[in-house]
Amino acid sequence: MAQIGSFALLLALALSIYSFGVGLLALFFPGDPLWERLGETARRAGVVVFGGVFLAAVALVVAAFRNDFTIAYIFHHSNRDLPGRYKFATLWSGQEGSLLFWSLLLAGYGFVLRLRYKTDPRLFAYASVVLAGVQIFFLSLVNFAANPFGLLEGPLRADGSGLNPLLQYPEMVIHPPMLYLGYVGFTVPFAFALGALIMKYPGEKWIHITRRWTMVTWGFLTCGIFLGAHWAYAVLGWGGYWGWDPVENASLMPWLVGTAFLHSVMMQEKRGMLKVWNMWLVFFTFWLAIWGTFLTRSGMIASVHAFAQSAIGTWFAWFLGISFAAFLFFFIKNKDHLKSEHKLESLISRESSFLFNNLLFVLLCFTVAWGTWFPKISELVQGNKVTVGAPFYNRVAIPVALLLLILTAVGPLLAWRKTSFESLRRNFAWPTLGAAAVMAFLMITPPSWGGPFGLRPWQDISYFYSLMAIGLCVLVTLTIASEFYRGGKVISGHTGQGMFASLVQLTHRNTRRYGGYLVHFGVVVVIIGLAGAAFNQDKESEKGMDYGDKMTIGSYTLVCRSYTQDDGPNMASEWAVIDVYQGDKKIDTMNPVREFYKASQQASTKPDIRSSLKEDLYLVYEGQNEKGLPIIRAHLNPLVMWIWLGVIIILGGTALALIPNAPAPVRIAVPARRMEQAVPAVTGD
Amino acid sequence: MLTRPKQILTCGLLSLAVFALTGAGDPATRFKELGHQMMCICSCNQILLECNHVGCPDSDGMRNELMAAVSRGDSDSLVEQSFVQKYGPTVLAAPTKTGFDRTAWIVPFVALALGLTLVVMVIRAWKNRPTPAIADGLRPVRGAELEQFRDQARKETDL
């Protein structure tokens, strides 16, 4: 397998170089039949690259299933008794494999792109060359710097050292692919953007072509980030889902800039504005995805995600530098091509809201990057490292996020060019009153009601933030609802349909707009869930529990029924059986587990979580106390389920926005006399 | 003698202070707050009270130390200083607000202020830009006629 994999990777690299070199030369000689034929061979070589990388990936997975411990990567990331799905996940479990996986996905995107070249052959040829350039970098890495098929030195080992226990969780089989599909996918819009810049592509067609790629990629990245958060919540056992770790930050930064791009690209489509800005946004989204990888693999920044600190950081640094220089060169050379076609007319307009929206997204990205790098900067300036953890990010990022939420409410309802105060008043009066009423209600109700009640913003800054977040969420929801309602009412008035049918028709007629609203609503639901973190300050208990012992947390009473052990080939486990009561009624039985993985000689906890819309009961099995009793730690985490629900809505909205619009009915004015004549013919008998 | 408005203002401020300070001195609350401002030093990169990895050699001892310090009635700054002396400055979960560390806090807000100013300036500059030229044979529409077209466009694009 090692030989097959290594050969396939070399072949793929050679084909990529051919695709890049010959494709580039073909672009220099447009109209020359010979070079056009050669350009076609370059495109085909790009298609075949996918076959080569796919073969290498299959070879690695087969090696994992065949327990081929002669391959160092398989030895370090697998073992004989590892369940099949995790053997499959070996492909992206370590540095070399994940770089191969990155190459595979890039080749996959390139495969699809090169097969669809007839849409616009010349633009696609440019994009294909850019993709081939990026592909060369990754294939060089896996061939020369981080080869997944490197052989293990020394005597043949009977068994591998196993997969990291934290990765042995079903979500880890889908989280990295989703995240990587997001990371890698942003190469495609970048390739088109750079191609359009180099060839001074007229019009905005390249944006229409890349819109789906961008949205699909953004959807994957969103899904990947939240799957990671859910994995942290369900596996790490600390009761949280986001720790502002550098690796988490690395995935967030391209997402933030990518989201800014998805918004501002509308300015270019509709008004021919922000062309320069969009070029830089799409470049930085791509660049940040690579930069994040550099950040976590160079060893420059300490992270809980213990990736190897190898020499590949230097490769990434070079690639980042070269790609930046190349982009800057073409930008300076061709920037005159990117002049805006219209001017901005008013501060209160859709255009302005997009500008502010972009500013805030980019600023959030800058803040995250600043916090991630500050320990290094501090070390350089004052000689000692500092930690920049959650308290810092929560203080500096939340105000910006709240401003973004205001724009989410206001922006979509502003008119292009200019919005009158009368229109503002008409659109926002009721939603604002509604939001104010909800905020007042949350403040005056007693805390004993539980949940988000009794929020006294003057007591704690986190309460202030939570109150503002909930108030703004209500505002956004009401503005979205009013948009749907007004549209539905108009259609209902024209067609005589019921409101529900009208709303369906409305959404189907402009899927992008109403899909976007749905995404905004999903964000609202996520923020409600995030705001819940402010309410769990005191809801945590820990106890060594004998059989029959009780522990109370919130409205729940936990009774320890038994304590059990199990021994399997891959791992041994021990867990407590906890009956959960509310009042006198037993509502559930929970099994928090601790697992001990034999191959890696490492342990891991797997909390058991009982979720409801109001709160999560989160039980962690912490081990045994000195008397041999299971120690159970219980958290009550309010509103967490809203986060996962919100993500589903966001992804649903993204999918909706990808569906083509239904054609709008065309109304034809027919003279009354002809109508009268026509009636018998239409009705027939 | 305070005037009536001042009396009302004073009462209001006192009430706010009572609300604000309620629970602030409670040892359990202080333990939670301080414990969330510190990191576990076991290299797990997690907040002290959230570090839960099995077999952590440090978090239990650190939590006990923190609880002892809070029970003794040490001030927040004294507790933090003693932890910094013992474990180094990386034990604090966020940069301090002194010396160079202050820049960590200031820069994002300065960037926000600069960014907002910049966007407003860009919008103003764009507003004052001359209207882009239109193709031959077309005349620019202004005034009431323009408003009429806008109204029509708004109605027609309402869906």
Side-chain angles (χ1 to χ4, degrees), chain A residues 229-241 536 539-541 551 553 556 558 580 590 592 605-611 615-621 632-638 640 644, chain B residues 50 52:
Chain A
H230 190 264
W231 166 79
Y233 185 64
V235 173
L236 294 183
W238 50 280
Y241 36 77
N536 69 347
K539 302 287 175 59
E540 185 182 324
S541 296
M551 175 162 66
I553 181 163
Y556 302 98
L558 312 176
V580 183
M590 296 175 70
T605 52
K606 299 261 161 62
D608 198 359
I609 306 165
R610 184 178 196 279
S611 291
E615 62 203 1
D616 279 12
L617 176 61
Y618 186 98
L619 300 188
V620 185
Y621 179 87
I632 301 299
R633 185 157 52 88
H635 295 258
L636 218 50
N637 299 330
V640 177
W644 321 127
Chain B
E50 290 169 359
N52 180 44

Coordinates of all heavy atoms in Angstrom, one line a residue, chain A residues 229-241 536 539-541 551 553 556 558 580 590 592 605-611 615-621 632-638 640 644, chain B residues 50 52:
Chain A
A229 N -17.9 22.4 18.0 CA -18.4 22.9 19.3 C -19.2 21.8 20.0 O -19.0 21.6 21.2 CB -19.2 24.1 19.1
H230 N -20.0 21.1 19.2 CA -20.8 20.1 19.8 C -19.9 18.9 20.4 O -20.2 18.3 21.4 CB -21.8 19.5 18.8 CG -22.9 18.6 19.5 ND1 -22.7 17.3 19.5 CD2 -24.0 18.9 20.2 CE1 -23.7 16.7 20.1 NE2 -24.5 17.7 20.6
W231 N -18.9 18.6 19.6 CA -18.0 17.6 20.0 C -17.3 18.0 21.4 O -17.2 17.2 22.3 CB -16.9 17.3 18.9 CG -15.7 16.5 19.4 CD1 -15.7 15.2 19.6 CD2 -14.5 17.1 19.8 NE1 -14.4 14.8 20.1 CE2 -13.7 16.0 20.2 CE3 -13.9 18.3 19.9 CZ2 -12.4 16.1 20.7 CZ3 -12.6 18.5 20.3 CH2 -11.9 17.4 20.7
A232 N -16.9 19.2 21.4 CA -16.2 19.7 22.7 C -17.2 19.6 23.8 O -16.8 19.2 24.9 CB -15.8 21.1 22.5
Y233 N -18.4 19.9 23.6 CA -19.5 19.8 24.6 C -19.8 18.4 25.0 O -19.9 18.1 26.2 CB -20.7 20.5 24.1 CG -21.9 20.7 25.0 CD1 -21.7 21.5 26.2 CD2 -23.1 20.0 24.8 CE1 -22.8 21.6 27.0 CE2 -24.1 20.2 25.7 CZ -24.0 21.0 26.8 OH -25.0 21.2 27.7
A234 N -19.8 17.5 24.1 CA -20.3 16.2 24.3 C -19.1 15.2 24.8 O -19.4 14.1 25.3 CB -21.0 15.6 23.1
V235 N -17.9 15.7 24.6 CA -16.8 14.8 24.8 C -15.8 15.3 25.9 O -15.4 14.5 26.8 CB -16.0 14.5 23.5 CG1 -14.7 13.7 23.8 CG2 -16.8 13.7 22.6
L236 N -15.5 16.6 25.8 CA -14.4 17.0 26.7 C -14.9 17.1 28.2 O -14.0 17.1 29.1 CB -13.9 18.4 26.3 CG -13.2 18.4 24.9 CD1 -12.7 19.8 24.6 CD2 -12.1 17.4 24.9
G237 N -16.2 17.2 28.4 CA -16.7 17.1 29.8 C -16.5 18.3 30.7 O -16.6 18.2 31.9
W238 N -16.2 19.5 30.1 CA -16.1 20.7 30.9 C -17.3 21.5 30.9 O -17.3 22.6 31.5 CB -14.8 21.5 30.6 CG -14.6 21.8 29.2 CD1 -14.1 21.0 28.2 CD2 -14.9 23.0 28.5 NE1 -14.1 21.6 27.0 CE2 -14.6 22.9 27.1 CE3 -15.4 24.3 28.9 CZ2 -14.7 23.9 26.2 CZ3 -15.6 25.3 28.0 CH2 -15.2 25.1 26.6
G239 N -18.3 21.0 30.2 CA -19.6 21.7 30.3 C -19.7 22.9 29.3 O -20.7 23.6 29.3
G240 N -18.7 23.1 28.5 CA -18.7 24.2 27.6 C -18.5 23.7 26.2 O -18.3 22.6 25.9
Y241 N -18.7 24.7 25.2 CA -18.6 24.3 23.8 C -17.7 25.1 23.0 O -17.4 24.9 21.8 CB -20.0 24.4 23.1 CG -20.9 25.5 23.6 CD1 -20.6 26.8 23.2 CD2 -21.8 25.3 24.6 CE1 -21.4 27.8 23.7 CE2 -22.6 26.3 25.1 CZ -22.4 27.6 24.7 OH -23.1 28.6 25.2
N536 N -25.8 30.1 34.0 CA -25.4 28.8 34.7 C -24.3 28.9 35.7 O -23.7 28.0 36.1 CB -25.0 27.8 33.6 CG -23.7 28.1 33.0 OD1 -23.2 29.2 33.1 ND2 -23.1 27.2 32.3
K539 N -25.0 26.7 38.9 CA -25.7 25.4 38.7 C -24.7 24.3 38.4 O -24.5 23.8 37.3 CB -26.7 25.4 37.6 CG -27.8 26.5 37.9 CD -28.8 26.0 39.0 CE -29.8 27.1 39.3 NZ -30.6 27.5 38.2
E540 N -23.9 23.9 39.4 CA -22.9 22.9 39.3 C -22.7 22.2 40.6 O -22.6 22.8 41.6 CB -21.6 23.5 38.8 CG -20.5 22.5 38.5 CD -19.2 23.2 38.1 OE1 -19.3 24.3 37.4 OE2 -18.1 22.7 38.4
S541 N -22.8 20.9 40.6 CA -22.6 20.1 41.8 C -21.6 18.9 41.6 O -21.6 18.4 40.5 CB -23.9 19.6 42.3 OG -24.8 20.6 42.6
M551 N -28.4 13.5 44.8 CA -27.8 14.8 44.6 C -28.9 15.7 43.9 O -29.6 15.2 43.0 CB -26.6 14.7 43.7 CG -26.0 16.0 43.4 SD -24.3 15.9 42.8 CE -24.4 15.0 41.3
I553 N -29.9 19.1 41.8 CA -29.4 20.3 41.0 C -30.6 20.8 40.3 O -31.3 20.1 39.6 CB -28.2 19.9 40.1 CG1 -27.8 21.1 39.3 CG2 -28.6 18.7 39.1 CD1 -26.4 20.9 38.7
Y556 N -33.9 19.0 39.4 CA -33.7 17.6 39.3 C -33.1 16.9 40.6 O -32.3 17.6 41.3 CB -32.7 17.3 38.2 CG -33.1 17.8 36.8 CD1 -32.6 19.1 36.4 CD2 -34.0 17.1 36.0 CE1 -33.0 19.6 35.1 CE2 -34.4 17.6 34.8 CZ -33.9 18.8 34.3 OH -34.2 19.3 33.1
L558 N -31.0 13.5 41.5 CA -30.2 12.4 40.9 C -30.0 11.3 41.9 O -29.6 11.6 43.0 CB -28.9 12.9 40.3 CG -28.9 14.2 39.5 CD1 -27.5 14.6 39.1 CD2 -29.7 14.0 38.2
V580 N -32.9 9.9 37.1 CA -33.2 11.3 37.2 C -34.6 11.5 37.6 O -35.5 11.0 36.9 CB -32.9 12.0 35.9 CG1 -33.1 13.5 36.0 CG2 -31.4 11.7 35.5
M590 N -29.5 8.1 33.3 CA -28.4 8.6 32.6 C -27.1 7.8 32.9 O -27.0 7.3 34.0 CB -28.2 10.1 32.9 CG -29.3 10.9 32.4 SD -29.2 12.7 32.8 CE -27.8 13.2 31.8
P592 N -23.2 8.5 32.6 CA -21.9 9.2 32.3 C -20.8 8.1 32.4 O -20.8 7.2 33.3 CB -21.8 10.2 33.4 CG -22.7 9.8 34.5 CD -23.8 9.0 33.9
T605 N -13.4 10.9 29.3 CA -14.7 10.9 29.9 C -15.7 11.2 28.8 O -15.4 11.9 27.9 CB -14.9 12.0 31.0 OG1 -14.5 13.2 30.4 CG2 -14.1 11.7 32.2
K606 N -16.9 10.6 28.9 CA -18.0 10.9 28.0 C -19.2 11.3 28.8 O -19.8 10.4 29.4 CB -18.3 9.7 27.1 CG -17.1 9.2 26.2 CD -17.2 9.7 24.8 CE -15.9 9.7 24.1 NZ -15.3 8.4 23.9
P607 N -19.5 12.5 28.9 CA -20.6 12.9 29.7 C -21.9 12.4 29.1 O -22.0 12.1 27.9 CB -20.6 14.5 29.6 CG -19.4 14.8 28.9 CD -18.9 13.6 28.2
D608 N -22.9 12.3 29.9 CA -24.3 12.0 29.4 C -25.1 13.3 29.5 O -25.0 14.0 30.6 CB -24.9 10.9 30.2 CG -26.1 10.3 29.5 OD1 -26.4 10.7 28.4 OD2 -26.7 9.3 30.0
I609 N -25.8 13.6 28.5 CA -26.5 14.9 28.5 C -28.0 14.7 28.2 O -28.4 14.0 27.3 CB -26.0 15.8 27.3 CG1 -24.4 16.0 27.5 CG2 -26.6 17.2 27.3 CD1 -23.7 16.5 26.3
R610 N -28.8 15.3 29.1 CA -30.3 15.2 28.8 C -30.7 16.6 28.4 O -30.7 17.6 29.2 CB -31.0 14.8 30.1 CG -32.5 14.6 29.9 CD -33.1 14.2 31.2 NE -34.5 13.7 30.9 CZ -35.5 14.5 30.8 NH1 -35.4 15.8 30.9 NH2 -36.7 14.0 30.5
S611 N -31.1 16.8 27.2 CA -31.3 18.1 26.6 C -32.8 18.4 26.6 O -33.6 17.6 26.3 CB -30.8 18.2 25.2 OG -29.4 18.2 25.2
E615 N -33.1 23.7 29.3 CA -31.7 23.5 29.9 C -31.2 22.1 29.6 O -32.0 21.2 29.3 CB -31.7 23.7 31.4 CG -32.6 22.8 32.1 CD -33.1 23.3 33.5 OE1 -32.7 24.4 33.9 OE2 -33.8 22.5 34.2
D616 N -29.9 21.9 29.7 CA -29.3 20.6 29.6 C -28.9 20.2 31.0 O -28.2 20.9 31.7 CB -28.0 20.7 28.7 CG -28.3 20.7 27.3 OD1 -29.5 20.9 26.9 OD2 -27.4 20.5 26.5
L617 N -29.2 18.9 31.3 CA -28.6 18.3 32.5 C -27.4 17.5 32.0 O -27.5 16.6 31.2 CB -29.7 17.4 33.2 CG -29.2 16.6 34.4 CD1 -28.7 17.5 35.5 CD2 -30.2 15.6 34.9
Y618 N -26.3 17.9 32.6 CA -25.0 17.4 32.0 C -24.2 16.7 33.1 O -23.8 17.3 34.1 CB -24.3 18.7 31.5 CG -23.0 18.5 30.8 CD1 -23.0 18.6 29.4 CD2 -21.8 18.4 31.4 CE1 -21.8 18.5 28.7 CE2 -20.6 18.3 30.7 CZ -20.6 18.4 29.4 OH -19.4 18.3 28.7
L619 N -24.1 15.4 33.0 CA -23.5 14.6 34.0 C -22.1 14.1 33.6 O -22.0 13.6 32.5 CB -24.3 13.4 34.4 CG -25.7 13.7 35.0 CD1 -26.4 12.4 35.5 CD2 -25.7 14.7 36.1
V620 N -21.1 14.3 34.4 CA -19.8 13.8 34.1 C -19.4 12.8 35.1 O -19.5 13.0 36.3 CB -18.8 15.0 34.1 CG1 -17.4 14.5 33.6 CG2 -19.2 16.1 33.2
Y621 N -18.8 11.7 34.7 CA -18.3 10.7 35.6 C -16.8 11.0 35.8 O -16.0 10.9 34.8 CB -18.5 9.3 35.0 CG -17.9 8.2 35.8 CD1 -18.7 7.6 36.8 CD2 -16.6 7.7 35.6 CE1 -18.2 6.6 37.6 CE2 -16.1 6.7 36.4 CZ -16.9 6.1 37.4 OH -16.4 5.1 38.2
I632 N -19.6 12.0 40.7 CA -20.5 12.6 39.6 C -20.4 14.1 39.7 O -20.7 14.7 40.8 CB -21.9 12.1 39.8 CG1 -21.9 10.5 39.7 CG2 -22.8 12.7 38.7 CD1 -21.4 9.9 38.4
R633 N -20.2 14.7 38.6 CA -20.3 16.2 38.6 C -21.5 16.5 37.6 O -21.6 16.0 36.6 CB -19.0 16.8 38.0 CG -19.0 18.3 38.1 CD -17.6 18.9 38.1 NE -16.8 18.3 37.0 CZ -16.8 18.9 35.8 NH1 -17.5 19.9 35.5 NH2 -16.0 18.3 34.8
A634 N -22.3 17.4 38.1 CA -23.5 17.7 37.4 C -23.5 19.2 37.0 O -23.2 20.0 37.9 CB -24.8 17.3 38.1
H635 N -23.8 19.5 35.8 CA -24.0 20.9 35.4 C -25.4 21.1 34.9 O -26.0 20.2 34.4 CB -23.1 21.3 34.2 CG -21.7 21.2 34.4 ND1 -20.9 22.4 34.6 CD2 -20.8 20.2 34.4 CE1 -19.6 22.0 34.8 NE2 -19.6 20.7 34.6
L636 N -25.9 22.3 35.1 CA -27.2 22.6 34.5 C -26.9 23.8 33.5 O -26.6 24.9 33.9 CB -28.2 23.1 35.6 CG -29.6 22.7 35.4 CD1 -29.8 21.2 35.1 CD2 -30.4 23.1 36.6
N637 N -27.0 23.5 32.2 CA -26.6 24.5 31.2 C -27.8 25.0 30.5 O -28.4 24.3 29.6 CB -25.6 23.9 30.2 CG -24.3 23.4 30.9 OD1 -23.9 24.0 31.9 ND2 -23.7 22.4 30.3
P638 N -28.3 26.2 30.8 CA -29.5 26.7 30.2 C -29.4 26.9 28.7 O -28.3 27.4 28.2 CB -29.8 28.0 30.9 CG -29.0 28.0 32.1 CD -27.8 27.1 31.8
V640 N -28.8 25.5 25.9 CA -27.8 25.1 25.0 C -28.4 24.4 23.7 O -27.9 24.6 22.6 CB -26.8 24.0 25.7 CG1 -25.8 23.5 24.7 CG2 -26.1 24.7 26.8
W644 N -27.8 24.3 18.9 CA -27.8 23.3 17.8 C -29.0 23.4 16.9 O -28.9 23.2 15.7 CB -27.7 21.9 18.5 CG -26.9 21.8 19.7 CD1 -27.2 21.3 20.9 CD2 -25.5 22.2 19.8 NE1 -26.1 21.4 21.8 CE2 -25.1 22.0 21.1 CE3 -24.6 22.8 18.9 CZ2 -23.8 22.3 21.6 CZ3 -23.3 23.1 19.4 CH2 -22.9 22.9 20.7
Chain B
E50 N -12.9 24.9 34.7 CA -13.5 24.1 33.6 C -12.6 23.0 33.2 O -12.9 22.2 32.4 CB -13.9 25.0 32.5 CG -15.0 25.9 32.8 CD -15.3 26.9 31.7 OE1 -14.5 27.0 30.8 OE2 -16.2 27.7 31.9
N52 N -11.2 19.6 33.3 CA -11.7 18.3 33.8 C -11.1 17.1 33.2 O -11.6 16.0 33.2 CB -13.2 18.3 33.5 CG -13.9 17.1 34.0 OD1 -13.6 16.7 35.1 ND2 -14.7 16.5 33.2

